[in-house]
Amino acid sequence: MPPSLPLPLHPHWSTPDQYITSLLHFSTTTPLFQTLCGGVHVLDFFTTTPDLYASILPPSWRDFFDAHAVEDVLDLLMREDLDIFGGGGEQEEEHGSWRGGPLPPDDLLEYIRAIRRYSLVRDFHPPSTPPPPLARQVSTGMNVKKTHEVSHFARYIDSLAASLSKSGSPITHLVDFGSGQSYLGRALASPPYNRHIIAVESKEGNITAAGGMDVTAKLAVKRVVMRNKARYRGLKAEGRVPVDDPLEGHEKTKEQQLTLLPPPPPPSLPQSGAIQYIRHSITSGDLSAVLSQANLSLRPPSSPPNLLIISLHSCGNLLHHGLRALFQNPSVSAVALVGCCYNLMTERLGPPTYKLPSLDPLTNTTSPVKANNHLSHPRLLRAQSAHDPAGFPLSHRFLTYTPPLQNHSSSPGIRLNITARMMAVQAPFNWSPQSSDNFFTRHFFRAVLQRLLMDHGFLTERSNQPIIIGSLRKKCYESFEAYVRGAMEKIFSSSSSSSSSSSSSSSSSSLSSSHDLLTNLTSPKIEAYHLRYSPRKKHLSVLWSLMAFSAGVVEALVVVDRWVFLREGLGRSGEGDGRRGDGTEEEEGEKEECAKEKGECWVETVWDYAESPRNLVVVGVKGR
């Protein structure tokens, strides 16, 4: 059932513990990695002094990057066989050049090798036979990406459940955490899998939409309402009847009762699966509120409830709650969860340290953005007291890790700030020349706009409000002027909305500043900014590429922490004391039961990275 290795590691590593020990040391003692993953942000690129590109990268690296196209740099980081730069054979280094330019510096090559070694292997090796195709009525609403994910993951889950059933009690239900519109659940409830699904979803709209698609997939019967149409139209015309219930609020005579018939019961299909929806917001691993609403009768009479928790894409802390559920609920015997949206995770250890103090708005009083009001930024105020017990890290080992030669003023534990976690959701191995150029341009436009706003005092006026541009219309990216116009209109619209809901002078001042800047920015002024910073667009593109490439190690830290948490809880901790990250004592009013029977846990790929880059499933199985 488990793969030969519990983690998908680079061949350099012989054991998981060897890898984890080195990973923790590298991530806490390598200044360049710490800077690229959490120490810099694209908005700081043109607003800081000295220049970020020059202050972060060594001169030899800058000289090499200046001599090569960005596409070649991306190839070197992620695809080039680095053995050509060391060892025998016909190698370009014998001629002193690479792709028509200078050879990469040795320390750059060593950094690339290190990032590749510490990143988890994402290659997908599916079984020799393809997964069963999804029936047309089951795949309703799915795009190509979703179809690929669901078809492969449904087969994986069914195979896992079958293996668990052979080695112990049969799996009676699959609990889908954050089921959304239940694409995965619908596939598993349909032939050939015919599983019983408990879909847990917090949004009523998703549940309603899923119910409609269940009817199409013939997993549910459409509700049929039979009415006396003439009587119904008459009551409706008189304004006496709600649209959804023509008889609500009226005394129902026998004749009226006959005008509204209950829907027929669903057909008896003992060999088919079923989906039941429970509206619930998951905030912990305790499933008692969910299971109290679930109908667990759809199982063999002799089998007690035996649950497998699954999730196609567990955003943020949702995966943490799923892992904890394995230990908090006796009826849960296994979990198989695919995580995503690391930027939505919270931080258990509080605010992380900034690798470059000059970028920390809490300590930098020399920033061009005046610092007299810097503490009023709401996100920064929240970050100062962010200690969420459900956040990262989960495991005791990551929570208490103390790097060698650590500064005595800092605290133990692995920390990843929001910038590092946002970079971890990038997928640089899927970048094409066209797509990479498009978002390099978008990042460049946003960075130059930040400088423009700073020079015109707009950031000072809004020092207590984050400036979030988000997505703009496609035509706004055709030129820098179009981008500035579109962004300022969006900011002005946002300020108008805030002003209408608030009578404060700060809101009025912000609205006035937005309007003044919007009207005073002439085309020549905007174009002057574009011309001034265009020569540095390549520098931004190279630095962003290094950040995205390096963030593969950030994702490895997140995923490995989750695996270590399971290993500790299942009594298989190679190092450490065998405790789970939150131990067995009450924390924040919540006491968890620590299961110490020997179980299994592993991480592996479940679909093709090229189709969907968050392709790692974290599996935990209790001992039998």
Side-chain angles (χ1 to χ4, degrees), residues 331-409:
S331 59
V332 175
S333 62
V335 296
L337 309 165
V338 179
C340 69
C341 302
Y342 307 127
N343 53 305
L344 299 181
M345 292 191 310
T346 56
E347 300 169 37
R348 186 173 178 182
L349 295 173
T353 56
Y354 281 77
K355 303 308 175 186
L356 294 182
S358 63
L359 297 179
D360 185 355
L362 294 178
T363 60
N364 178 19
T365 58
T366 62
S367 169
V369 181
K370 296 179 181 178
N372 56 341
N373 291 324
H374 63 275
L375 288 177
S376 60
H377 193 304
R379 178 175 59 80
L380 299 177
L381 287 172
R382 289 194 301 270
Q384 293 178 87
S385 57
H387 294 273
D388 186 352
F392 173 90
L394 283 173
S395 67
H396 178 76
R397 184 171 184 181
F398 278 55
L399 185 68
T400 59
Y401 177 75
T402 302
L405 304 178
Q406 184 185 35
N407 189 321
H408 293 293
S409 64

Coordinates of all heavy atoms in Angstrom, one line a residue, residues 331-409:
S331 N -13.7 6.8 15.0 CA -14.3 6.2 13.8 C -13.5 6.5 12.5 O -13.8 5.9 11.4 CB -15.7 6.7 13.5 OG -15.8 8.1 13.4
V332 N -12.5 7.4 12.6 CA -11.7 7.7 11.4 C -10.4 6.8 11.4 O -9.7 6.9 12.4 CB -11.3 9.2 11.4 CG1 -10.3 9.5 10.3 CG2 -12.5 10.1 11.3
S333 N -10.3 6.1 10.4 CA -9.1 5.2 10.4 C -8.0 5.6 9.4 O -6.9 5.1 9.5 CB -9.6 3.8 9.9 OG -10.1 3.8 8.6
A334 N -8.3 6.6 8.5 CA -7.3 7.0 7.6 C -7.6 8.4 7.0 O -8.8 8.8 7.0 CB -7.1 6.0 6.5
V335 N -6.6 9.1 6.5 CA -6.8 10.3 5.8 C -6.0 10.3 4.5 O -4.9 9.7 4.5 CB -6.4 11.5 6.7 CG1 -7.3 11.7 7.9 CG2 -4.9 11.5 7.1
A336 N -6.5 11.0 3.5 CA -5.7 11.1 2.3 C -6.1 12.5 1.7 O -7.1 12.7 1.1 CB -6.0 10.0 1.3
L337 N -5.2 13.5 1.9 CA -5.5 14.9 1.7 C -4.5 15.5 0.7 O -3.3 15.4 0.9 CB -5.6 15.6 3.0 CG -6.5 15.0 4.1 CD1 -6.2 15.7 5.4 CD2 -7.9 15.2 3.7
V338 N -4.9 16.3 -0.2 CA -4.1 17.1 -1.1 C -4.2 18.5 -0.7 O -5.3 19.1 -0.7 CB -4.4 16.9 -2.6 CG1 -3.5 17.8 -3.5 CG2 -4.4 15.4 -3.0
G339 N -3.1 19.1 -0.3 CA -3.1 20.5 0.1 C -2.9 21.5 -1.0 O -2.4 21.2 -2.1
C340 N -3.3 22.7 -0.7 CA -3.1 23.8 -1.7 C -3.2 25.1 -0.9 O -3.4 25.2 0.3 CB -4.1 23.8 -2.9 SG -5.8 24.2 -2.4
C341 N -3.0 26.3 -1.6 CA -3.2 27.6 -1.0 C -2.5 27.8 0.3 O -3.1 28.1 1.3 CB -4.7 27.9 -0.8 SG -5.7 27.8 -2.4
Y342 N -1.1 27.6 0.2 CA -0.3 27.7 1.4 C -0.4 29.1 2.0 O -0.2 29.3 3.2 CB 1.1 27.3 1.1 CG 1.3 26.0 0.5 CD1 2.0 25.8 -0.7 CD2 0.7 24.8 1.1 CE1 2.1 24.6 -1.3 CE2 0.8 23.6 0.5 CZ 1.5 23.5 -0.7 OH 1.7 22.2 -1.3
N343 N -0.7 30.1 1.1 CA -0.8 31.5 1.6 C -1.9 31.7 2.6 O -2.0 32.6 3.3 CB -1.0 32.4 0.4 CG -2.1 32.0 -0.5 OD1 -2.2 30.8 -1.0 ND2 -3.1 32.9 -0.8
L344 N -2.9 30.7 2.6 CA -4.1 30.9 3.5 C -3.8 30.2 4.8 O -4.6 30.3 5.7 CB -5.3 30.3 2.8 CG -5.8 30.9 1.5 CD1 -7.0 30.3 1.0 CD2 -6.0 32.4 1.7
M345 N -2.7 29.5 5.0 CA -2.3 29.0 6.3 C -2.1 30.1 7.3 O -1.6 31.2 6.9 CB -1.1 28.1 6.2 CG -1.2 26.8 5.4 SD 0.2 25.7 5.7 CE 1.6 26.8 5.4
T346 N -2.4 29.8 8.6 CA -2.0 30.8 9.6 C -0.7 30.4 10.2 O -0.1 29.3 9.9 CB -3.1 30.8 10.7 OG1 -3.3 29.5 11.2 CG2 -4.4 31.3 10.1
E347 N -0.2 31.2 11.1 CA 1.1 31.0 11.7 C 1.0 30.7 13.2 O 0.4 31.4 14.0 CB 2.0 32.3 11.5 CG 2.2 32.6 10.0 CD 2.8 34.0 9.9 OE1 3.7 34.4 10.7 OE2 2.4 34.7 8.9
R348 N 1.5 29.6 13.6 CA 1.4 29.1 14.9 C 2.4 29.8 15.9 O 2.1 30.0 17.1 CB 1.7 27.6 15.0 CG 1.4 27.0 16.3 CD 1.5 25.5 16.2 NE 1.3 24.9 17.5 CZ 1.4 23.6 17.7 NH1 1.6 22.8 16.7 NH2 1.2 23.0 18.9
L349 N 3.5 30.2 15.4 CA 4.6 30.8 16.2 C 4.6 32.3 16.2 O 5.6 32.9 16.6 CB 6.0 30.2 15.7 CG 6.1 28.7 15.9 CD1 7.4 28.3 15.3 CD2 6.1 28.4 17.4
G350 N 3.6 32.9 15.7 CA 3.6 34.4 15.6 C 4.3 34.9 14.4 O 4.7 34.2 13.5
P351 N 4.5 36.2 14.4 CA 5.1 36.9 13.2 C 6.5 36.4 13.0 O 7.3 36.3 13.9 CB 5.1 38.3 13.6 CG 5.0 38.4 15.1 CD 4.3 37.2 15.5
P352 N 6.8 36.0 11.7 CA 8.2 35.6 11.4 C 9.1 36.8 11.3 O 8.7 38.0 11.2 CB 8.0 35.0 10.0 CG 6.9 35.7 9.4 CD 5.9 36.0 10.6
T353 N 10.4 36.6 11.5 CA 11.4 37.6 11.4 C 11.6 38.0 9.9 O 11.5 37.2 9.0 CB 12.7 37.2 12.0 OG1 13.1 36.0 11.3 CG2 12.6 36.9 13.4
Y354 N 11.8 39.3 9.6 CA 12.2 39.7 8.3 C 13.7 39.5 8.1 O 14.5 39.9 8.9 CB 11.8 41.2 8.1 CG 10.4 41.4 7.8 CD1 9.4 41.4 8.9 CD2 9.9 41.7 6.6 CE1 8.1 41.6 8.7 CE2 8.6 41.9 6.3 CZ 7.7 41.8 7.4 OH 6.3 42.0 7.1
K355 N 14.0 38.9 7.0 CA 15.4 38.6 6.7 C 16.2 39.9 6.4 O 17.4 39.9 6.6 CB 15.5 37.6 5.6 CG 14.8 36.3 5.8 CD 15.1 35.7 7.2 CE 14.2 34.5 7.5 NZ 14.5 34.0 8.9
L356 N 15.5 40.8 5.8 CA 16.1 42.1 5.6 C 15.4 43.2 6.5 O 14.3 43.6 6.2 CB 16.0 42.6 4.1 CG 16.7 41.7 3.1 CD1 16.6 42.2 1.7 CD2 18.2 41.6 3.4
P357 N 16.1 43.6 7.5 CA 15.4 44.5 8.5 C 14.9 45.8 7.8 O 13.9 46.4 8.2 CB 16.5 44.8 9.5 CG 17.4 43.6 9.5 CD 17.4 43.2 8.0
S358 N 15.6 46.2 6.7 CA 15.2 47.4 6.0 C 13.8 47.3 5.4 O 13.2 48.3 5.0 CB 16.2 47.8 5.0 OG 16.3 46.8 4.0
L359 N 13.3 46.1 5.2 CA 12.0 45.9 4.6 C 10.9 45.7 5.6 O 9.8 45.6 5.2 CB 12.1 44.6 3.7 CG 13.0 44.7 2.5 CD1 13.0 43.4 1.7 CD2 12.7 45.9 1.6
D360 N 11.3 45.6 6.9 CA 10.3 45.4 7.9 C 9.6 46.8 8.3 O 10.3 47.6 8.9 CB 10.9 44.8 9.2 CG 9.9 44.4 10.2 OD1 8.7 44.8 10.0 OD2 10.3 43.8 11.2
P361 N 8.4 47.0 7.9 CA 7.8 48.3 8.2 C 7.5 48.5 9.7 O 7.2 49.6 10.1 CB 6.4 48.2 7.5 CG 6.1 46.8 7.3 CD 7.5 46.1 7.2
L362 N 7.7 47.5 10.5 CA 7.5 47.7 12.0 C 8.8 48.3 12.6 O 8.8 48.8 13.7 CB 7.2 46.3 12.6 CG 5.9 45.7 12.3 CD1 5.7 44.4 13.0 CD2 4.7 46.6 12.7
T363 N 10.0 48.1 11.9 CA 11.2 48.6 12.5 C 11.9 49.6 11.6 O 12.7 50.4 12.1 CB 12.2 47.4 12.7 OG1 12.5 46.8 11.4 CG2 11.6 46.4 13.6
N364 N 11.5 49.7 10.4 CA 12.2 50.7 9.5 C 11.6 52.0 9.6 O 10.4 52.3 9.2 CB 12.1 50.1 8.0 CG 12.7 51.1 7.0 OD1 13.5 51.9 7.4 ND2 12.4 51.0 5.8
T365 N 12.3 53.0 10.1 CA 11.8 54.3 10.3 C 12.4 55.3 9.2 O 12.2 56.5 9.3 CB 12.2 54.9 11.7 OG1 13.6 54.8 11.9 CG2 11.4 54.1 12.7
T366 N 13.2 54.7 8.3 CA 13.8 55.5 7.3 C 13.2 55.3 5.9 O 13.7 55.8 4.9 CB 15.3 55.3 7.2 OG1 15.5 53.9 6.9 CG2 16.0 55.5 8.6
S367 N 12.2 54.5 5.9 CA 11.5 54.2 4.6 C 11.0 55.5 4.0 O 10.5 56.3 4.7 CB 10.4 53.2 4.8 OG 9.7 53.1 3.6
P368 N 11.0 55.6 2.6 CA 10.3 56.7 2.0 C 8.9 56.8 2.4 O 8.3 57.9 2.4 CB 10.5 56.4 0.5 CG 11.7 55.5 0.4 CD 11.7 54.7 1.6
V369 N 8.2 55.7 2.7 CA 6.9 55.7 3.2 C 7.0 56.1 4.7 O 7.5 55.4 5.5 CB 6.2 54.4 3.1 CG1 4.8 54.5 3.6 CG2 6.2 53.9 1.6
K370 N 6.5 57.3 5.1 CA 6.7 57.8 6.4 C 6.3 56.8 7.5 O 5.2 56.2 7.4 CB 6.0 59.1 6.6 CG 6.6 60.2 5.6 CD 5.8 61.5 5.8 CE 6.4 62.6 4.9 NZ 5.7 63.9 5.0
A371 N 7.1 56.7 8.5 CA 6.9 55.6 9.4 C 6.1 56.0 10.7 O 5.9 55.2 11.6 CB 8.3 55.0 9.9
N372 N 5.7 57.3 10.7 CA 5.0 57.7 11.9 C 3.7 57.0 12.1 O 3.2 57.0 13.3 CB 4.8 59.2 11.9 CG 4.0 59.7 10.7 OD1 3.9 58.9 9.7 ND2 3.4 60.8 10.7
N373 N 3.1 56.4 11.1 CA 1.9 55.7 11.3 C 2.0 54.2 10.9 O 1.0 53.6 10.6 CB 0.8 56.3 10.4 CG 0.4 57.7 10.9 OD1 0.3 57.9 12.1 ND2 0.1 58.6 10.0
H374 N 3.2 53.7 10.9 CA 3.4 52.4 10.3 C 2.7 51.3 11.1 O 2.4 50.3 10.6 CB 4.9 52.1 10.1 CG 5.7 52.0 11.4 ND1 6.2 53.1 12.0 CD2 6.0 51.0 12.2 CE1 6.9 52.8 13.1 NE2 6.7 51.5 13.2
L375 N 2.5 51.5 12.4 CA 2.0 50.5 13.3 C 0.5 50.4 13.1 O -0.2 49.5 13.6 CB 2.3 50.8 14.7 CG 3.7 50.5 15.1 CD1 3.9 50.9 16.6 CD2 4.1 49.1 14.9
S376 N -0.1 51.3 12.3 CA -1.6 51.2 12.2 C -2.1 50.4 11.0 O -3.3 50.2 10.8 CB -2.1 52.7 11.9 OG -1.6 53.2 10.8
H377 N -1.1 49.8 10.3 CA -1.5 48.9 9.2 C -2.2 47.7 9.8 O -1.7 46.9 10.6 CB -0.3 48.4 8.4 CG -0.6 47.8 7.1 ND1 -1.5 46.7 7.0 CD2 -0.3 48.0 5.9 CE1 -1.6 46.3 5.8 NE2 -0.9 47.1 5.1
P378 N -3.5 47.4 9.5 CA -4.3 46.3 10.2 C -3.6 44.9 10.0 O -3.6 44.2 10.9 CB -5.6 46.4 9.5 CG -5.4 47.1 8.2 CD -4.3 48.1 8.4
R379 N -3.1 44.6 8.8 CA -2.5 43.3 8.6 C -1.3 43.1 9.5 O -1.0 42.1 10.1 CB -2.1 43.1 7.2 CG -1.4 41.8 6.9 CD -1.2 41.5 5.4 NE -0.3 42.6 4.9 CZ 1.0 42.6 5.0 NH1 1.6 41.6 5.7 NH2 1.8 43.5 4.5
L380 N -0.5 44.2 9.7 CA 0.7 44.1 10.5 C 0.3 44.0 12.0 O 1.0 43.4 12.8 CB 1.6 45.3 10.3 CG 2.2 45.5 8.8 CD1 3.0 46.7 8.7 CD2 3.0 44.2 8.5
L381 N -0.7 44.7 12.4 CA -1.2 44.6 13.8 C -1.6 43.2 14.1 O -1.3 42.7 15.2 CB -2.3 45.6 14.0 CG -2.0 47.1 14.1 CD1 -3.2 47.9 14.1 CD2 -1.1 47.4 15.3
R382 N -2.3 42.6 13.1 CA -2.7 41.2 13.3 C -1.5 40.3 13.4 O -1.5 39.3 14.2 CB -3.7 40.7 12.2 CG -5.0 41.4 12.2 CD -6.0 40.6 11.3 NE -5.5 40.6 9.9 CZ -5.8 41.5 9.0 NH1 -6.6 42.5 9.3 NH2 -5.4 41.4 7.8
A383 N -0.5 40.5 12.6 CA 0.6 39.7 12.5 C 1.4 39.7 13.8 O 2.0 38.7 14.2 CB 1.6 40.1 11.4
Q384 N 1.4 40.8 14.5 CA 2.1 40.9 15.8 C 1.6 39.9 16.9 O 2.3 39.5 17.8 CB 2.1 42.3 16.3 CG 2.8 43.3 15.5 CD 2.6 44.7 16.0 OE1 3.4 45.1 16.9 NE2 1.7 45.5 15.6
S385 N 0.3 39.6 16.8 CA -0.2 38.7 17.8 C -0.7 37.4 17.2 O -1.6 36.8 17.7 CB -1.4 39.4 18.5 OG -2.4 39.8 17.5
A386 N -0.2 37.0 16.0 CA -0.7 35.8 15.3 C -0.1 34.6 16.0 O 1.1 34.3 15.7 CB -0.3 35.9 13.8
H387 N -0.8 33.9 16.8 CA -0.4 32.6 17.4 C -1.6 31.7 17.3 O -2.3 31.4 18.2 CB 0.0 32.8 18.8 CG 1.2 33.7 19.0 ND1 2.5 33.2 18.9 CD2 1.4 35.0 19.2 CE1 3.4 34.2 19.1 NE2 2.7 35.3 19.3
D388 N -1.8 31.1 16.1 CA -2.9 30.3 15.8 C -2.5 28.8 16.1 O -1.7 28.3 15.3 CB -3.4 30.4 14.4 CG -4.7 29.7 14.1 OD1 -5.1 28.9 15.0 OD2 -5.3 29.9 13.1
P389 N -3.1 28.1 17.0 CA -2.7 26.7 17.3 C -3.0 25.8 16.2 O -2.4 24.7 16.1 CB -3.5 26.4 18.5 CG -4.6 27.3 18.6 CD -4.1 28.6 18.0
A390 N -3.8 26.2 15.2 CA -4.1 25.4 14.1 C -3.2 25.6 12.9 O -3.3 25.0 11.9 CB -5.5 25.6 13.6
G391 N -2.2 26.6 13.0 CA -1.4 27.0 11.9 C -0.1 26.2 11.8 O 0.1 25.1 12.4
F392 N 0.8 26.7 10.9 CA 2.1 26.1 10.7 C 3.1 26.5 11.7 O 3.1 27.7 12.1 CB 2.5 26.5 9.3 CG 4.0 26.0 9.0 CD1 4.2 24.8 8.4 CD2 5.0 26.8 9.2 CE1 5.5 24.4 8.1 CE2 6.3 26.4 9.0 CZ 6.5 25.2 8.4
P393 N 3.9 25.6 12.2 CA 4.1 24.2 11.9 C 3.2 23.3 12.8 O 2.8 23.7 13.9 CB 5.5 23.9 12.2 CG 5.9 24.9 13.3 CD 5.1 26.1 13.1
L394 N 2.9 22.1 12.3 CA 2.1 21.2 13.0 C 2.9 20.3 13.9 O 2.6 20.0 15.1 CB 1.4 20.3 12.0 CG 0.1 20.8 11.3 CD1 -0.3 19.8 10.3 CD2 -1.0 21.1 12.3
S395 N 4.1 19.9 13.4 CA 4.8 18.8 14.1 C 5.7 19.4 15.3 O 6.1 20.6 15.3 CB 5.8 18.1 13.1 OG 6.8 19.0 12.7
H396 N 5.9 18.6 16.3 CA 6.7 18.9 17.4 C 8.1 19.2 17.0 O 8.8 20.1 17.5 CB 6.7 17.8 18.5 CG 7.5 18.1 19.7 ND1 7.2 19.0 20.6 CD2 8.8 17.6 20.0 CE1 8.1 19.0 21.6 NE2 9.1 18.2 21.2
R397 N 8.6 18.5 16.0 CA 10.0 18.6 15.6 C 10.2 20.0 14.9 O 11.2 20.7 15.2 CB 10.4 17.5 14.6 CG 11.8 17.6 14.2 CD 12.2 16.4 13.4 NE 13.6 16.4 13.0 CZ 14.3 15.4 12.3 NH1 13.6 14.4 11.9 NH2 15.6 15.5 12.1
F398 N 9.3 20.4 14.1 CA 9.4 21.7 13.4 C 9.1 22.8 14.4 O 9.7 23.9 14.3 CB 8.4 21.8 12.2 CG 8.9 21.2 11.0 CD1 9.4 19.8 10.9 CD2 9.0 21.9 9.8 CE1 9.8 19.3 9.8 CE2 9.4 21.3 8.6 CZ 9.9 20.0 8.6
L399 N 8.2 22.6 15.3 CA 7.8 23.6 16.3 C 9.0 23.9 17.3 O 9.1 25.1 17.7 CB 6.6 23.1 17.1 CG 6.0 24.0 18.1 CD1 5.3 25.2 17.4 CD2 5.0 23.3 19.0
T400 N 9.8 23.0 17.6 CA 10.8 23.2 18.6 C 12.2 23.2 18.0 O 13.2 23.3 18.8 CB 10.7 22.1 19.7 OG1 10.9 20.8 19.0 CG2 9.4 22.1 20.4
Y401 N 12.4 23.1 16.7 CA 13.7 23.1 16.1 C 14.5 24.3 16.4 O 14.1 25.5 16.3 CB 13.6 22.9 14.6 CG 15.0 22.9 13.9 CD1 15.8 21.7 14.0 CD2 15.4 24.0 13.2 CE1 17.0 21.7 13.4 CE2 16.7 24.0 12.6 CZ 17.4 22.8 12.7 OH 18.7 22.8 12.1
T402 N 15.7 24.1 16.9 CA 16.7 25.2 17.1 C 17.9 25.0 16.2 O 18.6 24.0 16.4 CB 17.1 25.2 18.6 OG1 16.0 25.3 19.4 CG2 18.0 26.4 18.9
P403 N 18.1 25.9 15.3 CA 19.3 25.8 14.4 C 20.6 26.0 15.1 O 20.6 26.7 16.2 CB 19.0 26.9 13.4 CG 18.2 27.9 14.0 CD 17.3 27.1 15.0
P404 N 21.7 25.4 14.6 CA 23.0 25.7 15.3 C 23.4 27.1 15.2 O 23.0 27.8 14.2 CB 23.9 24.8 14.5 CG 23.2 24.6 13.1 CD 21.7 24.6 13.4
L405 N 24.1 27.6 16.2 CA 24.6 29.0 16.2 C 23.5 30.0 16.1 O 23.6 31.0 15.5 CB 25.6 29.2 15.1 CG 26.8 28.2 15.1 CD1 27.7 28.5 13.9 CD2 27.6 28.3 16.4
Q406 N 22.3 29.6 16.7 CA 21.2 30.5 16.6 C 21.4 31.8 17.4 O 21.9 31.7 18.5 CB 19.9 29.8 17.0 CG 18.6 30.7 16.8 CD 17.4 29.9 17.4 OE1 17.5 29.3 18.4 NE2 16.3 30.1 16.8
N407 N 20.9 32.9 16.9 CA 20.9 34.1 17.6 C 20.1 34.0 18.9 O 18.9 33.6 18.8 CB 20.4 35.3 16.7 CG 20.6 36.6 17.4 OD1 20.4 36.8 18.6 ND2 20.9 37.6 16.5
H408 N 20.6 34.3 20.0 CA 19.9 34.1 21.3 C 18.7 35.0 21.4 O 17.8 34.7 22.2 CB 20.9 34.4 22.5 CG 22.0 33.5 22.6 ND1 21.8 32.1 22.9 CD2 23.3 33.6 22.4 CE1 23.0 31.5 23.0 NE2 23.9 32.4 22.7
S409 N 18.5 36.0 20.6 CA 17.4 36.9 20.6 C 16.2 36.3 19.9 O 15.1 36.8 20.0 CB 17.7 38.3 20.1 OG 18.0 38.1 18.7

